[in-house]
Amino acid sequence: MSEDEAFIRAVVDSPGDDTPRLVYADWLDDRADPRGPYLRAEREAIGTGSIARLHELAAGLDPVWVARVSMPPVGVCCNKLTWLRRGETITGTDLDRFETRFGVRLPVQYRAFLMNYNGGAVELDPWETPNGGAYRDSCEFYSLARTSRNDPPFSLEYEFAVRGRSMFQGTPREDDNYQVRLRNSLSIGTTPGNLAWMLLGIGQANAGGVRSLSMPLTPAQATRRATKSLSFRSLTEYLSYLRKYRVSGLGVTT
């Protein structure tokens, strides 16, 4: 691991603690690295809610780096989310191998998200069950398994190579509209509440957008469950939604 990567990991792994961010900024300033001023400005902008200056400072910087160190709604450094678990650490080389294997281009924010966390489970606020107990909900993100065959279930490789090409055959989902939509999306996890799949846009028209989608799998399910969908313009917008997410006995509220 390079010294620069070690600093990034310290920032990612220290939610609520500004010290690693400030130390990293000092280290960058000592090297006249333009990322130093950005890192300081990001900390101030998130605190004040003013992010216009960040876009100016980000010009010319590596967009994956910007997404990795910036907090939502700018980036994917999720310091306000509680992780129940995270995937094995991966590198940009691992992501390049995935892209080459499947002939896809992962959106910048999602590359940054995987390099920071490589999937895992985010804990959401508990809600009280009818019998007085407490139910803890979670949002599950699939992880890159770094395999080239025998892809394990619930890995990104499995979702792209196996499930995405077979799970909808012979079901109400198998129609031209849905198949086109699925080919332009990658299943990256399961969503909380009464929705199911989390789909990331990888097509030219929907690149980077996130959709929470639940559709009936069988004719029997189709008679009692309708399609439900929530759409977000970007992964950071979806992560911001998770930060506000609450579940009550009557459903999802924000």
Side-chain angles (χ1 to χ4, degrees):
M1 182 186 297
S2 68
E3 193 170 3
D4 189 73
E5 179 63 21
F7 276 116
I8 297 174
R9 294 235 61 89
V11 170
V12 171
D13 295 338
S14 302
D17 183 0
D18 282 338
T19 301
R21 188 177 294 268
L22 295 175
V23 172
Y24 186 23
D26 288 341
W27 185 81
L28 293 170
D29 288 343
D30 290 343
R31 288 155 179 77
D33 192 313
R35 294 178 298 169
Y38 176 87
L39 204 60
R40 295 183 187 280
E42 191 275 340
R43 176 175 177 268
E44 296 172 2
I46 296 300
T48 61
S50 175
I51 61 175
R53 174 63 174 156
L54 288 185
H55 296 299
E56 298 177 15
L57 293 173
L61 300 181
D62 176 12
V64 173
W65 179 87
V66 171
R68 291 188 68 187
V69 301
S70 302
M71 292 175 278
V74 177
V76 298
C77 190
C78 304
N79 69 324
K80 297 289 180 67
L81 296 178
T82 300
W83 291 88
L84 298 173
R85 63 179 180 279
R86 285 157 47 173
E88 179 184 0
T89 301
I90 61 171
T91 66
T93 300
D94 297 315
L95 295 173
D96 292 342
R97 188 180 300 113
F98 177 90
E99 289 181 329
T100 299
R101 176 185 174 188
F102 295 110
V104 299
R105 184 67 176 239
L106 297 175
V108 164
Q109 291 181 353
Y110 190 52
R111 283 184 69 95
F113 179 78
L114 290 174
M115 292 181 72
N116 279 6
Y117 307 103
N118 191 21
V122 172
E123 183 180 51
L124 302 173
D125 288 348
W127 58 282
E128 188 174 338
T129 61
N131 62 6
Y135 174 76
R136 304 200 73 89
D137 208 350
S138 66
C139 181
E140 302 276 343
F141 291 94
Y142 301 140
S143 299
L144 195 74
R146 302 194 300 180
T147 63
S148 58
R149 57 183 179 178
N150 299 324
D151 302 312
F154 306 112
S155 68
L156 285 174
E157 290 89 346
Y158 180 89
E159 291 301 319
F160 201 99
V162 181
R163 190 191 297 273
R165 286 167 167 74
S166 64
M167 73 177 295
F168 307 112
Q169 294 180 4
T171 74
R173 298 177 185 232
E174 191 177 27
D175 58 72
D176 292 339
N177 178 59
Y178 191 79
Q179 292 294 336
V180 170
R181 184 166 61 197
L182 189 64
R183 281 199 296 271
N184 290 317
S185 300
L186 170 64
S187 178
I188 62 171
T190 56
T191 66
N194 52 11
L195 298 175
W197 287 277
M198 189 193 314
L199 300 179
L200 175 74
I202 55 174
Q204 185 173 359
N206 66 342
V210 174
R211 168 173 282 186
S212 298
L213 182 67
S214 176
M215 293 181 69
L217 282 172
T218 67
Q221 290 178 348
T223 62
R224 63 179 187 272
R225 189 175 72 182
T227 299
K228 299 183 178 70
S229 177
L230 286 176
S231 295
F232 304 87
R233 290 170 296 181
S234 65
L235 180 60
T236 55
E237 186 176 283
Y238 181 70
L239 294 172
S240 295
Y241 163 77
L242 287 183
R243 287 172 57 181
K244 302 175 183 178
Y245 181 91
R246 297 293 186 272
V247 181
S248 72
L250 299 178
V252 179
T253 61
T254 59

